[in-house]
């Protein structure tokens, strides 16, 4: 499997985002909940218990500093009352007095300092009392104490009162309704907000995954139904992008394999056609000569020997073609195993050259051997390799004119051994040299019966490749051909 570089955002990012969104959702929901609780609570307080939020929150200190600015009605509306004092004695009360103090003395905490002076205009919350007090002494005659019951006391009283009354009472029912509105509604809205934020996030996350997944699914379905072009295209999370890239890579690969399969099928058909043609030609000749021998009654012994000679030659040709074909098919089998052994490669090349030395001499070739001085130990199948190298030497002798120079060289490198079999002969056209290692490719396209099989170089290539090596050709018409074999050490 091809490894692709990571592209796009990762799913991990999505999980991290979900985590942060959850935290934000919790914070936002709690804030909304608290906000609503606060708002509803004060709504309830100002509707039921006080008319003025400031007075509810801050008691008497929220009242004006000057008595003439005091809104007496407001004091009464906010559960307070005003006591009018003369000589520290309560002589009159505006509103409903909710304590029993009628006489104030200097010990009355907070009302006077240690010099027996009032903290006029200040707000006092006597220790242990249920109210806050503001003292006004602007008039010569009277002192005014404005008392506002403490918020928690008012609230407690209200709740106690509610709990004490009949459950069926209309006022209790209203209290219950208000409690639900004040407490449960904010909590419910907070929970709904939390679910909404998380829900929207999950919806968007699922949408961002669903779309590419649907495309992958469609691609797989189409591919399963035989659409070889079912490539998919989207940009999403890196994990999905990787699946997409691998899927598209697989489609390319399958297409390539399919093309190669079709090509190989085509080449097999070509091969059968070429073999039939190559074998048919000598067989037709054999048929003709043998028929002549049978039918020609007064054939001389000499003439018959000539015909038998032709038949013999054509039989050799068929034998050669079938041998080459066998070899090629044998090497083409994926289960074919080389018979390798370690030996000196230089010595081996010398032996192969020696095998063809007579032919080289007969064709007046100039042989240039450039072999490594030292031994090169190599693990190879010498029988097969002899065939591979021989094919190249034989070709050079067979296809080039007399006095061509044949140069054979071996060089040892760090990781490989390079064998070059080169001649300065007729060379091979570029158009053919590109395909020269394919089976049945010959320069002589007429496929006349005297040519080779067209399998020699294909066999050589297979043998070299079975040794994990490679073979290439550099050739120019009129300049010669250079076959380069690279074998790994
Ligand atoms: P064949 O059995 O026909 O020799 P090969 O595969 O061995 O098949 O060679 C393919 C063709 O390449 C040959 O038909 C020949 O025309 C050309 N060829 C191979 N080697 C040489 C060479 N050294 N010089 C010129 N032509 C060559």
């Amino acid at each position: 499997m091809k490894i692709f570089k990571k592209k796009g955002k990762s799913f991990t990012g999505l999980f991290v985002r979900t985590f942060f969104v959850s935290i934000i959702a919790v914070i936002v929901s709690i804030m909304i909940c608290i906000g609503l609780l606060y708002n509803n609570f004060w709504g309830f307080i100002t509707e039921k218990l006080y008319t003025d939020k400031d007075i509810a929150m801050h008691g008497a200190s929220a009242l004006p500093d000057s008595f003439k600015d005091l809104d007496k009605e407001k004091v009464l509306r906010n559960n307070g009352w005003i006591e009018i004092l003369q000589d520290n004695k309560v002589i009159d009360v505006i509103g409903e007095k909710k304590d029993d103090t009628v006489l104030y003395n200097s010990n009355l905490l907070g009302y006077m300092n240690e010099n027996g002076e009032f903290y006029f205009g200040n707000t006092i919350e006597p220790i242990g009392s249920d109210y806050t007090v503001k003292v006004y002494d602007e008039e010569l005659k009277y002192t005014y104490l404005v008392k506002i019951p403490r918020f928690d006391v008012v609230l407690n009283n209200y709740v106690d009162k509610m709990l004490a009354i009949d459950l069926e009472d209309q006022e209790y029912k209203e209290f219950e309704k208000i409690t639900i509105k004040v407490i449960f509604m904010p909590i419910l809205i907070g929970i709904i907000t939390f679910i909404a934020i998380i829900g929207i996030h999950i919806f968007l996350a699922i949408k961002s995954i669903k779309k590419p997944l649907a495309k992958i699914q469609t691609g797989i379905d189409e591919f399963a139904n035989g659409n070889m072009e079912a490539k998919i295209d989207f940009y999403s999370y890196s994990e999905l992008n990787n699946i997409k890239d691998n899927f598209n890579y697989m489609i390319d690969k399958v297409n390539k394999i399919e093309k190669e399969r079709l090509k190989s099928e085509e080449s097999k058909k070509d091969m059968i056609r070429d073999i039939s043609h190559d074998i048919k030609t000598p067989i037709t000749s054999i048929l003709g000569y043998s028929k002549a021998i049978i039918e020609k009654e007064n054939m001389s012994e000499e003439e018959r020997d000539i015909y038998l000679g032709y038949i013999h030659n054509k039989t050799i040709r068929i034998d050669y073609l079938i041998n080459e074909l066998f070899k090629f098919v044998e090497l083409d089998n994926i289960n074919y195993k080389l018979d390798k052994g370690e030996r000196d490669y230089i010595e081996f090349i010398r032996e192969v050259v020696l095998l063809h030395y007579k032919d080289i001499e007969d064709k007046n070739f100039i042989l240039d051997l450039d072999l490594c001085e030292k031994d090169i130990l190599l693990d190879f199948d010498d029988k097969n390799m002899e065939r591979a190298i021989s094919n190249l030497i034989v070709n050079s002798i067979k296809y080039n004119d007399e006095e061509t120079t044949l140069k054979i060289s071996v060089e040892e490198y760090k990781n490989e051994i390079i064998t070059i079999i080169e001649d300065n002969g007729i060379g091979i056209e570029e158009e053919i040299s590109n395909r020269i290692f394919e089976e049945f490719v010959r320069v002589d396209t007429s496929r006349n019966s005297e040519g080779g099989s067209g399998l020699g170089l294909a066999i050589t290539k297979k043998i070299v490749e079975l040794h994990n090596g490679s073979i290439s050709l550099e050739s120019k018409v009129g300049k010669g051909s250079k076959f380069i074999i690279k074998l790994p050490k």
Side-chain angles (χ1 to χ4, degrees):
M1 181 64 67
K2 198 171 159 182
I3 305 299
F4 287 94
K5 260 175 90 182
K6 228 177 167 199
K7 291 182 240 153
K9 295 168 279 166
S10 159
F11 272 139
T12 323
L14 180 65
F15 296 133
V16 172
R17 217 163 39 245
T18 306
F19 174 71
F20 282 115
V21 167
S22 309
I23 290 178
I24 289 169
V26 168
I27 293 171
V28 170
S29 320
I30 289 177
M31 274 167 64
I32 289 179
C33 182
I34 290 175
L36 285 173
L37 270 173
Y38 182 83
N39 200 44
N40 286 357
F41 180 72
W42 282 112
F44 155 74
I45 296 294
T46 48
E47 189 191 315
K48 285 279 161 197
L49 305 179
Y50 290 85
T51 59
D52 190 287
K53 195 177 160 191
D54 270 352
I55 294 178
M57 280 174 86
H58 308 295
S61 65
L63 299 173
D65 286 339
S66 167
F67 190 70
K68 68 176 183 320
D69 297 332
L70 185 72
D71 179 348
K72 293 166 196 75
E73 284 304 311
K74 196 172 172 185
V75 171
L76 305 187
R77 279 200 306 271
N78 285 282
N79 309 303
W81 69 95
I82 303 164
E83 293 177 14
I84 304 164
L85 268 66
Q86 193 174 38
D87 300 331
N88 291 355
K89 202 190 281 173
V90 177
I91 57 161
D92 201 1
V93 175
I94 304 171
E96 187 194 339
K97 184 169 161 63
K98 290 166 187 150
D99 66 2
D100 335 304
T101 319
V102 286
L103 181 68
Y104 296 92
N105 58 41
S106 54
N107 292 330
L108 201 65
L109 262 173
Y111 287 85
M112 292 176 194
N113 63 18
E114 60 267 17
N115 300 324
E117 295 161 338
F118 279 114
Y119 283 112
F120 298 125
N122 285 337
T123 311
I124 301 142
E125 186 180 338
I127 293 165
S129 79
D130 291 346
Y131 44 81
T132 54
V133 185
K134 188 136 185 163
V135 186
Y136 295 93
D137 192 26
E138 293 160 349
E139 313 297 316
L140 287 173
K141 214 168 170 191
Y142 303 116
T143 297
Y144 298 96
L145 299 187
V146 180
K147 295 189 176 177
I148 305 284
R150 260 186 13 230
F151 167 77
D152 56 322
V153 174
V154 175
L155 184 64
N156 276 343
N157 284 346
Y158 175 76
V159 174
D160 287 347
K161 187 179 139 201
M162 285 305 135
L163 294 179
I165 63 172
D166 193 340
L167 293 182
E168 290 306 309
D169 196 295
Q170 195 55 38
E171 209 179 337
Y172 182 80
K173 279 187 180 158
E174 206 184 318
F175 166 72
E176 218 176 33
K177 249 198 247 163
I178 290 170
T179 316
I180 290 173
K181 195 181 151 215
V182 168
I183 299 171
F184 293 107
M185 285 305 278
I187 293 174
L188 190 68
I189 291 173
I191 291 172
I192 290 172
T193 310
F194 177 77
I195 292 173
I197 295 174
I198 295 291
I200 290 171
H201 174 71
I202 290 175
F203 172 76
L204 292 176
I206 289 177
K207 205 174 139 199
S208 70
I209 296 172
K210 224 174 143 185
K211 226 171 157 186
L213 279 181
K215 287 196 175 181
I216 292 174
Q217 183 66 55
T218 313
I220 292 173
D221 286 350
E222 281 188 26
F223 183 64
N225 288 327
N227 180 0
M228 295 297 215
E229 302 297 324
K231 281 198 180 183
I232 41 181
D233 187 27
F234 59 76
Y235 188 78
S236 180
Y237 295 100
S238 58
E239 290 82 354
L240 295 178
N241 290 343
N242 280 351
I243 294 177
K244 170 195 74 180
D245 289 342
N246 286 334
F247 180 81
N248 289 342
Y249 176 73
M250 180 192 77
I251 294 238
D252 282 342
K253 192 108 196 199
V254 169
N255 274 322
K256 204 172 149 211
I257 291 170
E258 179 62 11
K259 264 188 205 136
E260 272 164 15
R261 192 186 66 79
L262 289 174
K263 204 176 143 202
S264 137
E265 236 166 55
E266 251 339 281
S267 91
K268 282 212 174 87
K269 277 184 204 154
D270 287 351
M271 197 165 136
I272 292 168
R273 193 195 58 225
D274 290 341
I275 295 164
S276 316
H277 181 274
D278 286 0
I279 294 177
K280 195 171 181 290
T281 315
I283 285 181
T284 311
S285 304
I286 291 170
L287 271 175
Y289 294 131
S290 51
K291 195 173 172 217
I293 294 172
I294 296 164
E295 287 178 0
K296 230 175 166 185
E297 280 169 8
N298 47 2
M299 184 183 273
S300 70
E301 194 121 315
E302 203 181 325
E303 207 177 348
R304 207 182 57 200
D305 283 349
I306 292 170
Y307 278 24
L308 283 173
Y310 285 150
I311 290 172
H312 180 69
N313 283 343
K314 298 295 169 194
T315 314
I316 288 173
R317 169 92 186 139
I318 293 171
D319 184 53
Y320 161 74
L321 286 174
I322 287 176
N323 267 334
E324 289 274 282
L325 188 62
F326 265 164
K327 188 69 201 172
F328 178 75
V329 172
E330 188 187 23
L331 292 170
D332 208 26
N333 188 327
I334 48 163
N335 294 321
Y336 184 78
K337 286 263 170 315
L338 290 174
D339 183 16
K340 281 187 176 179
E342 204 169 70
R343 60 168 295 196
D344 176 17
Y345 185 69
I346 298 293
E347 175 63 28
F348 159 77
I349 291 288
R350 267 203 201 96
E351 282 173 16
V352 179
V353 174
L354 208 61
L355 283 177
H356 302 283
Y357 198 72
K358 192 171 177 308
D359 297 333
I360 293 171
E361 261 193 344
D362 287 353
K363 207 155 173 197
N364 286 326
F365 262 48
I366 301 146
L367 179 65
D368 179 0
L369 260 188
D370 181 11
L371 304 178
C372 238
E373 291 296 311
K374 57 180 178 88
D375 296 353
I376 300 174
L377 265 189
L378 189 70
D379 192 25
F380 64 103
D381 180 334
D382 57 359
K383 289 245 156 32
N384 273 314
M385 202 48 103
E386 180 194 309
R387 188 161 195 149
I389 305 285
S390 287
N391 279 347
L392 300 178
I393 297 174
V394 168
N395 276 352
S396 188
I397 301 168
K398 189 159 69 175
Y399 296 112
N400 293 301
D401 298 332
E402 291 207 352
E403 284 169 8
T404 298
T405 300
L406 172 63
K407 184 175 176 186
I408 300 170
S409 60
V410 177
E411 280 293 338
E412 186 185 20
Y413 292 91
K414 198 169 164 234
N415 298 317
E416 60 187 9
I417 295 162
I418 299 187
T419 311
I420 298 178
I421 291 155
E422 182 180 7
D423 62 54
N424 59 352
I426 57 168
I428 302 168
E429 272 176 50
E430 199 186 334
E431 195 264 321
I432 293 182
S433 72
N434 289 337
R435 300 183 295 118
I436 203 77
F437 296 107
E438 289 173 21
E439 57 270 20
F440 299 109
V441 171
R442 291 190 207 163
V443 174
D444 166 28
T445 44
S446 67
R447 316 200 66 80
N448 72 51
S449 56
E450 300 315 316
S453 63
L455 284 170
L457 290 178
I459 290 172
T460 297
K461 185 173 187 238
K462 279 232 173 302
I463 294 170
V464 171
E465 283 178 348
L466 281 169
H467 283 85
N468 298 319
S470 67
I471 182 165
S472 59
L473 166 65
E474 290 170 11
S475 182
K476 253 202 171 110
V477 176
K479 294 262 184 249
S481 310
K482 182 178 180 181
F483 289 91
I484 304 153
I485 295 176
K486 292 180 181 173
L487 292 173
K489 284 214 284 191

